[in-house]
């Protein structure tokens, strides 16, 4: 299937705007789930009905947010990639900036609407606003030529791309996949449980909204900085990615240990900044690790892991908080998962910096650079060729 579009055109930037607006509404709405849980517990007087409503919320978060987020991000990334060639990295970064802005704005929007119209009115208004996002999808206008595949063939092609057996047999793929799964299980924890902790500490609803907005501010700043820093070497990108996973673990520990608003603000700043890093450079890291030929498969597998993380994370941590009757325990467990994921990435980074080499018993002395290159191509990098002056 080939696409027939003008590269780096004005219409391409309209697609970037559409993607950014979609991320603004989707990620912004998702950041308000913790505030929504507080309102649900206040709405239902009976404890049993309250627990049922909250369980329904987290189940909806897991399946709805996981499926919706994967569909949104995969299609948006593909569309932006189709419309850009020379300015593709910048376009991809700008297309997801709306997510950080949505985290800044939506907690205040939700709080204001709830104070004015109540919970039911707020949900109706946000649903109507969210449906208007469908209008922006009409900008995703790619004319496909020679597209005669049936739906079954397309589905089979998608499954073969996501579940690529050759990719799954590569050395680093299982470690990277498990690392991302652990991280996305705990990715939404600050949005879900931080407003609840703020309520227990006696903070006002405005302060709880401010904490979530700080996440969005630092997230947006981080994504902008990654446009510069992430264009360096593959080693630099791996270090940034590993550091962001570790910073996520530290931020979750801050939420568990401290109760002062200032320390919580530091924690959310670190959480938002680290999230902006790994969201921005994940596609580049996958390209570094698995190559251009396996990029589509690795990218599809990544978003499958994102969906699974959302499906597992919310209900699992909510059940843990109900069993232990302690929110801090959720933060401790989440910090442990994030720390374990960072350790896995450390092993991947070391493996790529210090690759295992197989050497032959004799040294081959090559005096010509052209001969060395030709011989290296012939052996297909199976052996390590030692050269002497």
């Amino acid at each position: 299937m080939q696409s027939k579009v003008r590269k780096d055109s004005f219409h391409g930037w309209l697609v970037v705007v559409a993607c950014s607006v979609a991320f603004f509404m989707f990620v912004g709405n998702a950041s308000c789930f913790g505030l929504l849980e507080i309102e649900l517990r206040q709405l239902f007087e009976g404890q049993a009905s309250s627990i049922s409503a909250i369980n329904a919320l987290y189940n909806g978060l897991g399946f709805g947010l996981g499926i919706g987020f994967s569909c949104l991000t995969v299609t948006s990334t593909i569309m932006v990639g189709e419309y850009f060639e020379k300015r593709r990295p910048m376009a991809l970064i700008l297309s997801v900036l709306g997510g950080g802005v949505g985290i800044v704005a939506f907690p205040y929007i939700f709080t204001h609407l709830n104070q004015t119209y109540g919970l039911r009115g707020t949900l109706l208004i946000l649903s109507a606003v969210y449906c208007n996002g469908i209008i922006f999808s009409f900008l995703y206008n790619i004319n496909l030529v020679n597209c005669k595949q049936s739906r079954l063939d397309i589905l089979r092609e998608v499954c073969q791309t996501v579940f690529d057996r050759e990719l799954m047999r590569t050395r680093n793929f299982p470690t990277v996949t498990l690392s991302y799964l652990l991280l996305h299980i705990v990715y939404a924890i600050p949005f879900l449980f931080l407003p609840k902790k703020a309520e227990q500490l006696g903070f006002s609803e405005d302060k709880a909204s401010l904490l979530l907005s700080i996440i969005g501010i630092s997230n947006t700043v981080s994504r902008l900085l990654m446009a510069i820093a992430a264009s360096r070497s593959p080693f630099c990108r791996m270090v940034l990615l590993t550091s962001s996973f570790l910073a996520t673990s530290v931020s979750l520990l801050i939420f568990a240990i401290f109760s002062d608003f200032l320390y919580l603000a530091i924690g959310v700043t670190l959480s938002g900044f680290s999230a902006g890093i790994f969201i921005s450079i994940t596609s580049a890291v996958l390209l570094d690790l698995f190559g251009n030929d396996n990029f589509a498969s690795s990218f599809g597998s990544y978003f499958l892991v994102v969906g699974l993380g959302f499906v597992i994370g919310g209900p699992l941590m909510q059940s843990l908080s109900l069993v232990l009757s302690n929110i801090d325990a959720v933060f401790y467990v989440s910090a442990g998962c994030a720390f374990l994921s960072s350790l896995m990435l450390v092993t991947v980074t070391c493996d790529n910096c210090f690759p295992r080499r197989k050497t032959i018993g004799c040294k081959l002395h090559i005096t010509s650079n052209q001969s060395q290159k030709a011989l290296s191509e012939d052996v297909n990098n199976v052996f390590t060729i030692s050269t002497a002056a």
Side-chain angles (χ1 to χ4, degrees):
M1 245 181 346
Q2 298 177 346
S3 62
K4 188 177 180 180
V5 297
R6 289 183 57 190
K7 303 293 184 180
D8 303 290
S9 63
F10 175 74
H11 189 203
W13 292 111
L14 292 180
V15 173
V16 170
V17 172
C19 293
S20 188
V21 171
F23 273 92
F24 170 79
M25 292 187 294
F26 185 87
V27 179
N29 269 322
S31 68
C32 297
F33 268 87
L35 298 173
L36 178 59
E37 179 188 345
I38 295 175
E39 298 301 325
L40 282 175
R41 287 193 284 108
Q42 294 177 354
L43 179 64
F44 292 94
E45 296 180 0
Q47 184 178 5
S49 59
S50 176
I51 293 176
S52 299
I54 292 173
N55 287 336
L57 167 68
Y58 279 91
N59 289 329
L61 170 68
F63 289 97
L65 185 60
I67 295 173
F69 183 77
S70 297
C71 292
L72 169 69
T73 49
V74 172
T75 54
S76 297
T77 303
I78 292 175
M79 294 300 175
V80 173
E82 288 290 340
Y83 276 98
F84 287 90
E85 187 172 355
K86 294 181 180 179
R87 300 185 179 181
R88 184 179 298 171
M90 179 62 68
L92 288 171
I93 292 175
L94 294 177
S95 68
V96 299
L97 276 180
V101 179
I103 299 174
V104 176
F106 263 81
Y108 281 105
I109 294 174
F110 181 88
T111 301
H112 177 73
L113 290 177
N114 184 55
Q115 293 173 350
T116 306
Y117 301 103
L119 181 60
R120 290 186 175 90
T122 299
L123 294 178
L124 287 174
I125 293 173
L126 291 179
S127 298
V129 171
Y130 200 64
C131 287
N132 281 283
I134 300 175
I135 297 175
F136 291 93
S137 66
F138 291 107
L139 292 173
Y140 298 165
N141 181 25
I142 291 184
N143 297 319
L144 297 175
V145 296
N146 299 326
C147 182
K148 299 180 180 180
Q149 293 178 295
S150 65
R151 294 181 179 179
L152 183 60
D153 292 334
I154 295 175
L155 180 60
R156 186 182 297 110
E157 183 177 344
V158 170
C159 292
Q160 291 175 352
T161 301
V162 175
F163 302 100
D164 190 337
R165 295 182 179 180
E166 293 184 3
L167 177 64
M168 292 179 179
R169 285 194 292 264
T170 57
R171 187 167 64 246
N172 291 323
F173 181 79
T175 305
V176 173
T177 301
L178 183 57
S179 176
Y180 270 106
L181 177 61
L182 288 174
L183 183 73
H184 281 89
I185 285 176
V186 304
Y187 171 76
I189 297 304
F191 301 111
L192 298 175
F193 291 94
L194 200 55
K196 189 188 300 184
K197 179 166 184 175
E199 182 190 35
Q200 291 181 355
L201 295 174
F203 296 155
S204 64
E205 190 174 358
D206 290 335
K207 280 193 172 182
S209 300
L210 177 60
L211 289 174
L212 298 180
S213 296
I214 293 175
I215 296 179
I217 295 173
S218 60
N219 189 287
T220 304
V221 172
S222 174
R223 297 187 191 204
L224 289 173
L225 292 177
M226 285 304 102
I228 302 174
S231 61
R232 299 180 183 271
S233 64
F235 175 74
C236 178
R237 286 190 285 268
M238 282 301 303
V239 171
L240 285 171
L241 185 66
T242 305
S243 301
S244 68
F245 280 33
L246 183 60
T248 301
S249 176
V250 173
S251 67
L252 291 167
L253 276 178
I254 292 175
F255 300 149
I257 296 173
F258 297 100
S259 300
D260 186 75
F261 182 83
L262 177 61
Y263 289 107
L264 293 179
I266 294 174
V268 294
T269 301
L270 185 60
S271 176
F273 196 86
S274 60
I277 293 176
F278 67 74
I279 290 174
S280 299
I281 67 175
T282 287
S283 57
V285 169
L286 293 177
L287 189 62
D288 293 335
L289 291 176
F290 305 112
N292 188 54
D293 293 338
N294 292 321
F295 178 70
S297 297
S298 60
F299 203 59
S301 299
Y302 162 72
F303 282 112
L304 177 63
V305 168
V306 171
L308 289 176
F310 280 120
V311 168
I312 298 172
L316 177 63
M317 295 303 174
Q318 173 64 13
S319 301
L320 181 63
S321 66
L322 292 175
V323 171
L324 300 179
S325 300
N326 189 346
I327 298 178
D328 290 339
V330 173
F331 291 124
Y332 279 119
V333 173
S334 301
C337 291
F339 181 72
L340 183 59
S341 66
S342 66
L343 289 182
M344 292 180 179
L345 281 187
V346 169
T347 62
V348 175
T349 304
C350 294
D351 184 68
N352 282 271
C353 294
F354 308 101
R356 292 175 291 181
R357 296 181 177 180
K358 296 181 180 180
T359 59
I360 55 179
C362 59
K363 293 184 178 180
L364 301 178
H365 298 273
I366 308 298
T367 57
S368 170
N369 291 331
Q370 293 181 351
S371 300
Q372 179 182 4
K373 181 179 179 181
L375 182 57
S376 298
E377 292 177 352
D378 289 340
V379 298
N380 295 320
N381 297 324
V382 175
F383 303 112
T384 299
I385 308 300
S386 301
T387 61

